[in-house]
Amino acid sequence: SCDFFFFQAEDGIRDFCLSRGLGDVYKRQVLSGKGGVGKSTVSSQLAFTLAKKGFNVGLLDVDICGPSIPKMLGLVGHEVHQSNEGWSPVYLEDNLAVMSIGFLLPSQDEAIVWRGPRKNGLIKQFLTDVTWGELDYLIIDTPPGTSDEHISIVSYLKPDQTKDGAIIVTTPQEVSLQDLSLIHI
């Protein structure tokens, strides 16, 4: 359950995330048991739809080893700028901010092969060092499966059962449905 991971988080990180304004934000983690089922498409379309309705939206790509959000949104080549306040996300619209490791790589063809601690460190930076501004929604595009990225997001952010949740994406193939049954939130 989310509460288990919440109580395992470092209080300082969780408190800092809350002080950055991420505590009152509706957070949605988009996940699946398999790759290639459309998580990034769902994440992008959800972010676009919410922004079009006038909400301030952050789209966070935590698929560290395979970031696809910059390419899907036509943002390849954009860079994240650093200031005294932290990293500025790339803005697709005035009310749609995007952050991905894809913006930090020297080349989109470069592979990232990181293990847990480095991935967790970057996710922590995305949550504490990015100047998201006032958000209404934070949509989190995740890698396939249930890995460090999913656990880190839930543990670093204070879950609110009335506002936060997950969107599970799958396809109708039997093997995808079997993988889906392994995800326990």
Side-chain angles (χ1 to χ4, degrees), residues 88-177:
S88 295
V90 173
Y91 280 85
L92 189 60
E93 302 286 340
D94 288 340
N95 62 340
L96 179 51
V98 182
M99 179 53 83
S100 171
I101 192 173
F103 299 133
L104 305 173
L105 300 175
S107 165
Q108 292 300 308
D109 299 327
E110 196 162 315
I112 299 291
V113 183
W114 287 357
R115 298 191 69 113
R118 287 194 75 187
K119 288 180 182 182
N120 291 342
L122 182 62
I123 291 168
K124 181 173 148 185
Q125 275 192 285
F126 281 162
L127 296 173
T128 59
D129 293 354
V130 175
T131 55
W132 291 105
E134 293 296 320
L135 293 179
D136 298 307
Y137 286 90
L138 179 63
I139 308 302
I140 306 161
D141 186 50
T142 66
T146 53
S147 59
D148 292 331
E149 292 90 338
H150 305 91
I151 294 168
S152 294
I153 289 292
V154 172
S155 69
Y156 291 148
L157 295 174
K158 181 180 177 180
D160 181 335
Q161 293 180 354
T162 63
K163 297 188 334 183
D164 301 334
I167 298 169
I168 302 173
V169 181
T170 190
T171 59
Q173 288 80 16
E174 184 64 31
V175 71
S176 292
L177 295 173

Side-chain angles (χ1 to χ4, degrees), residues 21-68:
L22 294 178
D24 293 329
V25 174
Y26 289 89
K27 297 171 283 293
R28 294 291 183 273
Q29 207 173 159
V30 181
L31 52 101
S32 74
K34 295 196 101 29
V37 298
K39 288 179 304 302
S40 296
T41 300
V42 169
S43 298
S44 300
Q45 292 303 310
L46 179 59
F48 276 126
T49 300
L50 291 167
K52 189 173 181 176
K53 290 182 178 271
F55 293 106
N56 293 318
V57 181
L59 177 55
L60 176 58
D61 182 359
V62 296
D63 190 346
I64 308 299
C65 298
S68 58

